[in-house]
Amino acid sequence: MSESIYWRNRELRKHVAVIDGEEAPTIVLKNSTYLNTYTKQWLCANIWIFNDRIVYVGDKLPEKSQSTEVVDCNGLFLVPGYIEPHAHPFLLYNPENLAMHGGEYGTTTFINDNLMFNFLLDKKKAFTLLEDFNQSPVTMYWWARFDSQTALQHPGEYFDTEKVLSWLKHPSVIQGGELTAWPHLLDGDDRLLYWIQEANRLDKPVEGHLPGASERTLTKMKLLGVDAEHEAMTGKEAAKRLQLGYQTGLRYSSIRPDLPKLLEELLAEGVNTFDHVTMNTDGAAPAFYERGIMNVCVAIAIEKGVPLADAYRMASHNAAVHYGQINDVGCIAPGRIANINILQKKDNPHPISVLAKGEWLKKDHKTKDFSSKIDWGKYEIEPIAFEWDLTLEDMQFSVPIGLNMMNDVLIQPYAIKTDVTLDVIPSSTDDAFLMLIDRKGSWRVNTAIKGFTNRLGALASSFSATGDLIFIGKSKQDMLLAWRRLKELGGGIVLAHEGEVIFELPLALSGIMFAGTMRVLIEKEKQLRKLLADFGYTFGDPVYSILFLSATHLPYIRITQQGVIDVKKREVLFPATMR
């Protein structure tokens, strides 16, 4: 047997020794009223914890308890730690500070997108980093992406069969997807189908991404092996997904806060069983998480009339069953990881105390101090050392077609009528310069964008779908100023106007992720949002607008590494220019 199996065997024997009175539990939660998510009942019990595991749930108290922390939970209510089943942990925040912030509010398990690790790390480093995340008190699982959701210059460097299958086989990876390249699958891409089949063979579900899909498309994707879907925008759409056998996620994100409406409409459709329903926040912008993550979703479900036990199961048990992790997370029962939320009232899902892997993240309203367990520098995830420079020669704008923002993320093509050969575009129009530049400086794509700002001198951002640099603005000189400050920071988001830097958000982790606390990041994002609104941004979520400029899973036109692309026709309208 391997050393890890010997270690696990010893651990299990100690669990049994606690029951036999030979070992003392580390924590006992006595006089507990807890939600049994198997029977959907509130039951009274004493709960014994040994290190990171629940070892007993019942009437008895331990014989040996000299070293045990005993917590009297009389009058309180215990539920399983919440699970965020669809996290994109790179939206300015990093996976660690998102997880610890969520943990403070009771979200003790995250199932995370691995997309950015495909871009930033080789496979060996990425897998070592996943092991480091296992040392976190918050339980961290991961996806295996099948596609980049943009048009890369060299897609084979990031997504090939050997890499995808290596990710799928990793024990911390419990899902394939999310699959944004489903049109290619329907068009006959057998490589994608093979990856889905391999995920199914490994008993790992595949998550779809099917906004607006017809019953016919949903049926085809189910036949091809897609198990779950989270893009329903109406209660009818959610009900149809359930009827077709999908594990159905209801979204509450900054870009689509649909959960209240979805629940109202599902209940109106006569849906009264929620065993195959989960909730998710789909990678919301930082400020959306100011009051927590899944605790907010549970509160909405309770408010809208979902039965109490189901509301909690939708944020715990249901996700754990779907992902095959119910023997570890999602319930309060012997052998499970000690992820437990302690509530003041049954119908108040905001915990006063939180246990994660048997460790107090919060106790009696007081959050414990947190020190980072991830050494990002070990993985060369650090400020970008730009070894090139941007010049006025790069700012040649001559293509006739630009990007017209219809809302936060939907973009249509438009004929550029404004003179974009000028050094400054007048504030009488909402046209602005738009550039996407390789983070290593080898290529650029120049066009215009309409609807993002009517007077801002410049925005420069290394935060993007691929980590390449985005420039938006009215003034070429302000764009150069923003670039110089971005270069000094080693990545981030910089606003410049009339020769002055007016905002900066350093993203010290590869120019994509913030290295500080979520609370600081939330305040910075609020400041960014207000400034952009003052300069003519009229939509709700500028962070997503920046991120999705390159996202080819959304209509209708995008700026990508390959150039300006017509998404529907999958044609490059204007190719990237080599520098």
Side-chain angles (χ1 to χ4, degrees):
M1 289 189 292
S2 70
E3 180 60 32
S4 63
I5 293 175
Y6 277 121
W7 177 85
R8 180 62 174 157
N9 283 354
R10 289 194 298 269
E11 183 183 39
L12 294 174
R13 293 295 182 190
K14 282 192 173 185
H15 294 171
V16 173
V18 175
I19 305 303
D20 289 339
E22 298 168 5
E23 290 269 1
T26 50
I27 298 175
V28 170
L29 306 174
K30 74 175 186 178
N31 301 322
S32 298
T33 299
Y34 80 100
L35 177 63
N36 187 301
T37 51
Y38 282 95
T39 65
K40 301 186 182 181
Q41 294 173 294
W42 295 90
L43 303 175
C44 295
N46 299 309
I47 299 169
W48 308 1
I49 295 165
F50 183 77
N51 294 335
D52 67 338
R53 293 279 168 167
I54 300 167
V55 296
Y56 176 81
V57 181
D59 297 333
K60 300 183 184 302
L61 287 168
E63 298 173 20
K64 190 173 184 178
S65 61
Q66 295 89 335
S67 59
T68 303
E69 178 186 1
V70 179
V71 179
D72 192 343
C73 295
N74 186 41
L76 301 174
F77 302 90
L78 281 60
V79 297
Y82 307 136
I83 299 173
E84 164 53 277
H86 192 93
H88 297 278
F90 308 103
L91 210 82
L92 299 180
Y93 36 74
N94 68 69
E96 186 180 39
N97 61 16
L98 175 67
M100 296 311 299
H101 177 75
E104 178 184 343
Y105 294 91
T107 303
T108 55
T109 299
F110 287 76
I111 302 170
N112 296 296
D113 187 358
N114 74 322
L115 180 61
M116 206 54 65
F117 290 160
N118 279 286
F119 295 137
L120 297 179
L121 299 171
D122 62 43
K123 184 178 64 179
K124 183 177 179 180
K125 285 183 178 178
F127 290 171
T128 304
L129 181 54
L130 298 197
E131 296 301 320
D132 284 355
F133 274 112
N134 287 340
Q135 307 309 308
S136 168
V138 173
T139 304
M140 301 288 272
Y141 298 117
W142 303 88
W143 314 350
R145 276 277 193 165
F146 295 163
D147 61 274
S148 66
Q149 71 183 35
T150 188
L152 302 172
Q153 290 207 340
H154 306 289
E157 292 181 8
Y158 306 103
F159 298 94
D160 61 26
T161 294
E162 190 274 331
K163 289 180 181 177
V164 168
L165 296 190
S166 293
W167 275 92
L168 276 175
K169 291 173 183 176
H170 192 282
S172 293
V173 173
I174 61 173
Q175 166 176 282
E178 68 180 290
L179 183 63
T180 56
W182 59 270
H184 295 280
L185 178 65
L186 292 182
D187 285 348
D189 188 331
D190 279 337
R191 187 176 69 160
L192 274 178
L193 182 56
Y194 173 59
W195 296 347
I196 292 171
Q197 288 177 313
E198 284 299 290
N200 294 161
R201 184 180 65 80
L202 293 165
D203 291 324
K204 297 185 178 184
V206 174
E207 175 92 3
H209 176 98
L210 307 167
S214 66
E215 181 183 51
R216 180 184 179 91
T217 296
L218 289 168
T219 300
K220 288 180 181 180
M221 296 302 292
K222 199 75 180 70
L223 291 172
L224 293 170
V226 175
D227 305 281
E229 220 283 327
H230 63 283
E231 289 287 335
M233 299 180 193
T234 67
K236 284 185 181 293
E237 290 181 356
K240 178 55 65 178
R241 284 158 169 76
L242 288 168
Q243 291 160 8
L244 293 174
Y246 282 94
Q247 183 78 17
T248 301
L250 308 182
R251 180 168 45 194
Y252 186 61
S253 76
S254 55
I255 198 70
R256 289 213 61 95
D258 295 332
L259 180 62
K261 172 189 167 192
L262 289 171
L263 288 170
E264 288 174 1
E265 293 179 354
L266 265 179
L267 291 165
E269 288 286 317
V271 174
N272 56 18
T273 180
F274 294 88
D275 291 352
H276 298 285
V277 180
T278 59
M279 300 177 286
N280 70 82
T281 59
D282 203 9
F288 195 76
Y289 291 138
E290 189 166 17
R291 297 186 300 114
I293 303 182
M294 296 311 296
N295 57 308
V296 177
C297 294
V298 177
I300 292 169
I302 293 170
E303 179 190 346
K304 294 302 176 183
V306 174
L308 202 57
D310 284 309
Y312 287 110
R313 277 177 52 111
M314 286 161 62
S316 57
H317 191 109
N318 295 359
V321 169
H322 173 65
Y323 288 107
Q325 303 302 313
I326 193 61
N327 287 331
D328 282 324
V329 295
C331 61
I332 296 174
R336 274 55 173 196
I337 295 171
N339 294 342
I340 299 174
N341 292 331
I342 301 177
L343 315 175
Q344 287 185 310
K345 296 180 180 180
K346 287 182 183 178
D347 60 356
N348 180 356
H350 309 295
I352 62 170
S353 300
V354 178
L355 276 170
K357 294 183 182 175
E359 178 180 337
W360 293 108
L361 297 187
K362 180 164 67 176
K363 190 175 182 184
D364 297 330
H365 299 281
K366 295 179 181 178
T367 302
K368 300 294 182 177
D369 291 335
F370 161 68
S371 59
S372 175
K373 297 183 183 299
I374 304 298
D375 179 3
W376 295 103
K378 182 171 76 171
Y379 301 98
E380 298 179 352
I381 296 179
E382 51 196 6
I384 305 170
F386 293 104
E387 297 178 352
W388 54 278
D389 214 349
L390 183 70
T391 69
L392 271 176
E393 291 183 5
D394 292 307
M395 298 184 188
Q396 299 176 26
F397 298 86
S398 59
V399 300
I401 301 296
L403 282 65
N404 184 16
M405 295 184 63
M406 308 307 296
N407 61 24
D408 307 70
V409 298
L410 296 182
I411 305 174
Q412 290 184 341
Y414 83 105
I416 300 171
K417 296 180 180 178
T418 299
D419 186 355
V420 290
T421 65
L422 301 173
D423 286 342
V424 177
I425 294 177
S427 58
S428 56
T429 173
D430 64 350
D431 297 80
F433 301 116
L434 171 63
M435 293 196 301
L436 180 70
I437 303 179
D438 176 33
R439 67 189 279 140
K440 296 182 179 178
S442 62
W443 51 262
R444 59 178 169 82
V445 183
N446 295 41
T447 181
I449 187 168
K450 190 175 183 67
F452 189 89
T453 182
N454 57 15
R455 64 189 188 90
L456 178 65
L459 174 148
S461 174
S462 58
F463 169 77
S464 68
T466 56
D468 298 311
L469 308 187
I470 291 170
F471 292 84
I472 300 171
K474 292 281 195 175
S475 164
K476 294 179 180 178
Q477 289 299 327
D478 281 339
M479 290 166 77
L480 288 174
L481 174 61
W483 154 251
R484 288 193 291 270
R485 184 56 185 152
L486 186 76
K487 187 175 183 179
E488 290 171 353
L489 292 173
I493 298 176
V494 175
L495 304 187
H497 188 67
E498 295 181 348
E500 180 184 354
V501 172
I502 60 172
F503 173 85
E504 58 185 50
L505 170 60
L507 298 175
L509 303 181
S510 291
I512 296 168
M513 299 174 285
F514 186 64
T517 68
M518 275 291 286
R519 297 200 181 282
V520 171
L521 177 59
I522 285 168
E523 292 307 312
K524 291 293 286 185
E525 192 231 331
K526 286 181 180 178
Q527 183 185 357
L528 173 64
R529 189 183 299 238
K530 182 181 184 305
L531 275 169
L532 289 176
D534 290 344
F535 281 100
Y537 179 86
T538 60
F539 308 116
D541 202 329
V543 174
Y544 258 105
S545 294
I546 294 167
L547 180 70
F548 279 164
L549 284 171
S550 299
T552 54
H553 65 296
L554 293 165
Y556 295 89
I557 186 172
R558 301 286 147 171
I559 185 169
T560 74
Q561 290 185 1
Q562 293 183 14
V564 177
I565 283 186
D566 182 316
V567 173
K568 188 173 182 179
K569 295 180 181 178
R570 301 180 201 169
E571 292 180 357
V572 177
L573 303 178
F574 304 99
T577 300
M578 302 308 293
R579 299 179 71 243

